[in-house]
Amino acid sequence: MAIELRTPRQVEEMRPAGRFVAEVLTRLVEAADVGVNLLELDALAHAMIRDRGAESCYIDYHPSFGAMPFGKVLCTSVNDAVLHGLPHSYKLADGDLLSLDFAVSVDGWVADSAVSTIVGTPNPDDVRLIDTTQQALAAAIAVARPGNKLGDISAAIGDVARDAGYSVNTQFGGHGVGRTMHGDPHVPNDGRAGRGLPLKPGLVIAIEPWLLASTDEIVMDADGWTIRSADGSRGAHSEHTIAVTDDEPIVLTARD
């Protein structure tokens, strides 16, 4: 496991990427409305990337599980899709649960964040699901301090999820962030407190709890990217890039 710790100066250099990712996600949530096509949201994100002079982390991304390079700059996961949703021609409908995941490089530093929102009329079950991912993320960030272990972050997520009655899938989770989008360490969404990597100042990670309403089993679409619940239940996803410091963790992708 090759884990790089960032200097305080490097963490400061990562702030513009975090601010830009937050700005784009805020704009996308505002734009997501009934009748808006997922491809329009991707085009909006693409235009903002060009205007900023940033570089997409997704468009040429082709890990071993991907059937092809991603080809878009934004993940758009709708309803029973929860992760890596490949934008396609679909017009958002009233009541859709939309998860947006976005990562870019600005001046050589990466930031990665995700948010779930409801289009039009909210369903209370969807609101609760989204709220739980946000609470799990907040709980995980709160323990991202020197003296704690990586397992404390994972346990915080799992505890919030289980207390709310949800099961947890650990196949996909958080990860190190720096010059590239995905690095060590892997940050599972469940674990045992007091175990694992000691948290040290300069560790920069993306923490990303995601939950499905009534299962922890997933299936993948034929596109080789879009991950859905195995039982058709809805999913939600919340993510921030954070830096461990000598004091409070810094949420680099915090949205206003």
Side-chain angles (χ1 to χ4, degrees):
M1 186 182 293
I3 296 169
E4 297 184 65
L5 299 178
R6 308 300 174 184
T7 66
R9 179 176 177 177
Q10 288 176 323
V11 171
E12 288 302 308
E13 290 173 351
M14 298 181 79
R15 285 186 184 271
R19 285 196 297 267
F20 178 65
V21 166
E23 175 189 338
V24 172
L25 285 175
T26 297
R27 180 69 185 90
L28 291 170
V29 169
E30 293 170 349
D33 203 354
V34 175
V36 172
N37 197 301
L38 297 181
L39 294 177
E40 294 178 74
L41 295 178
D42 184 73
L44 173 57
H46 209 154
M48 293 182 75
I49 289 171
R50 286 194 300 268
D51 290 346
R52 180 62 175 79
E55 182 178 344
S56 171
C57 293
Y58 290 168
I59 197 162
D60 296 322
Y61 188 54
H62 192 186
S64 58
F65 62 80
M68 56 192 171
F70 192 73
K72 305 294 181 185
V73 301
L74 177 69
C75 293
T76 55
S77 303
V78 181
N79 296 334
D80 63 322
V82 67
L83 296 175
H84 309 158
L86 186 63
H88 59 286
S89 186
Y90 172 79
K91 291 184 178 181
L92 291 166
D94 186 49
D96 277 349
L97 198 170
L98 171 66
S99 297
L100 301 165
D101 195 351
F102 183 68
V104 295
S105 175
V106 175
D107 300 326
W109 293 107
V110 170
D112 187 4
S113 186
V115 61
S116 290
T117 187
I118 298 168
V119 178
T121 309
N123 179 306
D125 291 339
D126 293 341
V127 172
R128 182 173 180 271
L129 183 64
I130 293 171
D131 285 349
T132 302
T133 65
Q134 293 172 342
Q135 291 163 17
L137 179 57
I141 293 171
V143 297
R145 296 170 174 272
N148 288 342
K149 302 286 184 68
L150 194 65
D152 293 306
I153 291 175
S154 299
I157 295 170
D159 287 349
V160 170
R162 278 188 298 274
D163 286 349
Y166 301 108
S167 55
V168 181
N169 179 295
T170 56
Q171 290 171 257
F172 294 91
H175 48 87
V177 179
R179 295 293 188 182
T180 60
M181 177 171 58
H182 287 147
D184 290 329
H186 173 62
V187 186
N189 284 331
D190 197 12
R192 296 180 64 181
R195 299 293 183 92
L197 178 79
L199 302 179
K200 296 180 180 180
L203 179 68
V204 180
I205 53 176
I207 303 174
E208 50 178 314
W210 57 275
L211 296 171
L212 302 168
S214 59
T215 186
D216 57 13
E217 297 295 323
I218 55 175
V219 294
M220 187 177 289
D221 278 4
D223 63 22
W225 287 102
T226 305
I227 292 175
R228 300 181 183 274
S229 65
D231 65 357
S233 63
R234 295 189 172 202
H237 182 196
S238 295
E239 176 183 17
H240 275 311
T241 297
I242 69 111
V244 178
T245 75
D246 288 314
D247 190 22
E248 299 276 343
I250 297 171
V251 182
L252 294 165
T253 51
R255 294 181 296 277
D256 292 336

